[in-house]
Amino acid sequence: MTTIYEQRPGISRRELLKRGTIGAALIIAGNAVISPDRAWGMETTALKPETMATLIKLARDIYPHDAIADRFYAIAVKGHETKAGTDEAHKTLIEDGIADLDKRAGANGYRGLGWEDDRVAILRDIETTPFFQAVRGDLVVSFYNQKELWPHFGYEGESYSKGGYIARGFDDIEWL
Amino acid sequence: MAAPYDLNDDSVVVIIGSGAGGGTLGNELAQKGIDVVVLESGARHEYEDFINDEWDSFAQLAWLDHRTTGGGWRVAKDFPNLPAWIVKAVGGTTTHWAGASLRFQEHEFKTLSHYGKVEGANLLDWPITLAELEPYYAKAEDKMGVTRTNGIEGLPGNNNFKILKAGADKLGYKECHTGNMAINSADRDDRMSCQQTGFCFQGCKWGAKWSTLYTEIPKGEATGKLEVRPQSHVVKIEHDASGKVNAVVYADKDGKLHSQKARIVAVAGNSIESPRLLLNSASAKFPDGLANSSGQVGKNYMRHTTGSVYAVFEKPVHMYRGTTMAGIIRDEAKHDPSRGFVGGYELETLSLGVPFMAAFLDPGGWGRTFASAMDSYANMAGLWIVGEDMPQEQNAVKLHGELKDQYGMPIPDVWFTDHANDVAMRNHAYQQGQALYEAVGATRSFPTPPYPSTHNLGTNRMSEKASDGVVNKWGQTHDIKNLFVSDGSQFTTGGAENPTLTIVSLAIRQADYIAKEMAAGSI
Ligand SMILES: Cc1cc2nc3c(=O)[nH]c(=O)nc-3n(C[C@H](O)[C@H](O)[C@H](O)COP(=O)(O)OP(=O)(O)OC[C@H]3O[C@@H](n4cnc5c(N)ncnc54)[C@H](O)[C@@H]3O)c2cc1C
Ligand code: SF4
């Protein structure tokens, strides 16, 4: 199981500073990826934690919604970690795909490229690869199907239990 | 109560599929006192069980057996295993459908005569006229409770409709209203009125929308003459030495095979499974499959020329609230070759929730262009294009050369490429749709490509001559007298209209014919 948990204790701010990765970047500690504000963390067993951090970045570059927190991208890609645990071929696909991204990005790797445009330029070159297709094809469901995100998009979801919209604004448009 | 029939009872009419065609035919026959067994692949979910969630509902109802697709259409690339979005459940795709119920126009039954020969198209006149079908259209509209017929009021317009209407007025379109919908605008037929929940595609939890699941089927069962056997997937139709069909072999939910004897067999598995079943039933006597002396079984696959236009406005629309498809513009449905194509198209309101919008707005799309479109979801309006597509012989449902299903039967491979006429029509419709929304202030609009096929037609087409098609004007196969086709695969051509009202009308008419021929002892 891959777990995402809130407020990972145990690592002190001092410890984090020592690792030199404070800032907007995701933190790698042991086998975990931790958010910079330490609001959540995610342990990996099948994939390398660095790989998971890059996947999260990649997910945001694929569907960049600036008002949506990293946590939701982490939830969206954690299926790859779970799948990699039982499916060696999938593990290889993801690890090799991420390694390739890092290679293309140069010395500091994919996450080290500061501008989204520079990362996207790399993605445009690999968008037809099985790796990219697998990540994007999964993400379009695992990301947008998160009910917690629907309010961001102004979508109200299930409506039967509320009696439909017959008395809740199905024809409330006023600006026309 | 539902009558259980014996497997060896060879007096029954066996219907394969319980959707628009099969469910209607079953009830109509049962009402006439004829014994009917409906075999249905899918499970029975009553309407309380439907789910107001796009992917969960898809998992509950969609036909997900292995299929492949090829050809020039974009669906082959984006959804290589999902050529069609249709249902495997009691009630068939009438659980998913939106309810738009339109009659064909007179000329659409005679396209070869009206349009003339179109290069690359396999046009043919239907062997019936609008006048012959009109009394059955009237019966179907009454049965289904279609709005704006039989004195039934139209549905109220939702936000998405209001935008469509404002745009239609700006462009000078004259025929725009909230549609002819098989959805109750007031309580009728022991079903309640539409509560504007906006999940028409996920099965109507109120039962306001007509579906054979909770209309035709229970009514038929109440006669004691109809048995519906869910989770009964037919793998083969068998025949006797004389060539008459006499039994069907089906797998139950545990995969165990049974053989149900039959006096008459009616195939209504929708336009991919119906021809597949006929082809998979090949025998020494019929080596090319049943009813296939013309070689047309599986050919001429049509799926309507479709596409969507979504548009973003400065202010909220909330298009997903309310009836999904209660809004139509009919002005472009005429045949007017001056537009650069034959046939016509309808424009109908449409909305998807966030999960499906992400999957279908621009399949494969990503990056800021895509994400910013999704960020504008609340301010979007949407419409769907549905127009007549050209039958083409190479567009076909074929048996896969290698892949087999769990019963050892070849899976269907659906081949489709647009005809130049289809492309010209779609481009015209995109332009009109985008102009319509821009006329009411859209800041951005998207010509969205066709979804996996919801309207599947033509693969066992009706023809005057046995050499041109698979069934005659009654849906009876030219080759085998007691074998019928009762779904949309009978369509000779597709018309611009959503097909279900015509499927239901043909099924009511076919029931009259079957009863008459049975009484006369000719089948
Ligand atoms: C999202 C959506 C919206 C739609 N909206 C509209 C609309 O507004 N207006 C309109 O006119 N049409 C609409 N349609 C199309 C409409 O649903 C179909 O045209 C109609 O249901 C087709 O009827 P049918 O009898 O041919 O097949 P179906 O209704 O699909 O029924 C076929 C049944 O046969 C069963 N079956 C298949 N093979 C076998 C087998 N081997 N053994 C046993 N059972 C089998 C299937 O499980 C299924 O239940 C819509 C479709 C979709 C998906
Ligand atoms: S909008 Fe109306 S018809 Fe559609 S699902 Fe809701 S109640 Fe049923």
Side-chain angles (χ1 to χ4, degrees), chain A residues 62 64-66 116 124 127 140 144 147 150 152-154 156-157 159-160 164-166 169-173 175, chain B residues 52-53 55 157-159 162 195-197 199 205-206 315-316 320-321 354-355 358 366-368 371 374-375 378:
Chain A
I62 293 175
H65 294 282
D66 300 340
E116 178 184 312
R124 289 285 165 211
E127 67 177 332
V140 73
Y144 291 106
K147 290 190 176 62
W150 293 349
H152 164 85
F153 295 104
E156 295 162 277
S159 87
Y160 171 75
Y165 290 103
I166 195 158
F170 77 100
D171 62 349
D172 66 355
I173 205 161
W175 53 263
Chain B
N52 269 196
D53 180 291
W55 285 119
N158 67 354
N159 291 333
K162 287 181 172 179
Q195 303 301 301
Q196 305 286 337
T197 40
F199 282 91
K205 283 181 78 72
W206 306 95
K315 298 202 175 126
Y320 57 86
R321 294 183 186 167
V354 161
W366 60 276
R368 289 225 167 240
M374 290 301 297
D375 277 333

Side-chain angles (χ1 to χ4, degrees), chain B residues 269-327:
Chain B
N270 206 323
S271 296
I272 297 177
E273 292 309 310
S274 289
R276 174 189 178 215
L277 187 55
L278 295 179
L279 295 172
N280 270 338
S281 299
S283 63
K285 193 175 176 76
F286 301 113
D288 300 324
L290 297 185
N292 197 19
S293 64
S294 63
Q296 294 290 310
V297 171
K299 305 272 173 71
N300 311 302
Y301 171 67
M302 295 176 287
R303 40 111 45 228
H304 273 140
T305 291
T306 66
S308 309
V309 177
Y310 293 99
V312 175
F313 296 84
E314 287 170 75
K315 298 202 175 126
V317 178
H318 299 295
M319 65 172 170
Y320 57 86
R321 294 183 186 167
T323 329
T324 307
M325 203 171 262

Side-chain angles (χ1 to χ4, degrees), chain B residues 7-146:
Chain B
L7 287 173
N8 289 314
D9 187 340
D10 59 5
S11 72
V12 296
V13 176
V14 170
I15 300 174
I16 301 161
S18 62
T24 303
L25 179 67
N27 180 32
E28 290 289 317
L29 292 174
Q31 297 296 335
K32 296 175 199 294
I34 294 169
D35 299 293
V36 182
V37 173
V38 174
L39 298 174
E40 166 56 56
S41 287
R44 190 161 181 159
H45 306 281
E46 300 300 345
Y47 63 70
E48 310 81 73
D49 306 331
F50 291 151
I51 310 168
N52 269 196
D53 180 291
E54 290 179 314
W55 285 119
D56 288 351
S57 171
F58 186 77
Q60 179 187 45
L61 297 173
W63 184 283
L64 298 172
D65 291 15
H66 198 188
R67 285 174 172 163
T68 54
T69 178
W73 67 332
R74 195 171 149 180
V75 168
K77 175 175 148 272
D78 296 327
F79 305 100
N81 297 115
L82 196 71
W85 171 14
I86 44 182
V87 172
K88 182 186 207 173
V90 174
T93 315
T94 66
T95 55
H96 257 11
W97 83 311
S101 301
L102 304 170
R103 296 184 181 197
F104 266 43
Q105 304 164 73
E106 189 167 8
H107 69 267
E108 288 171 329
F109 287 102
K110 304 288 166 195
T111 52
L112 182 57
S113 304
H114 281 265
Y115 304 167
K117 273 208 158 32
V118 174
E119 206 186 309
N122 201 9
L123 284 175
L124 187 70
D125 289 350
W126 288 60
I128 54 173
T129 60
L130 175 63
E132 278 173 87
L133 204 55
E134 262 166 354
Y136 296 96
Y137 270 139
K139 285 185 188 179
E141 286 162 345
D142 181 43
K143 176 196 278 296
M144 300 161 80
V146 177

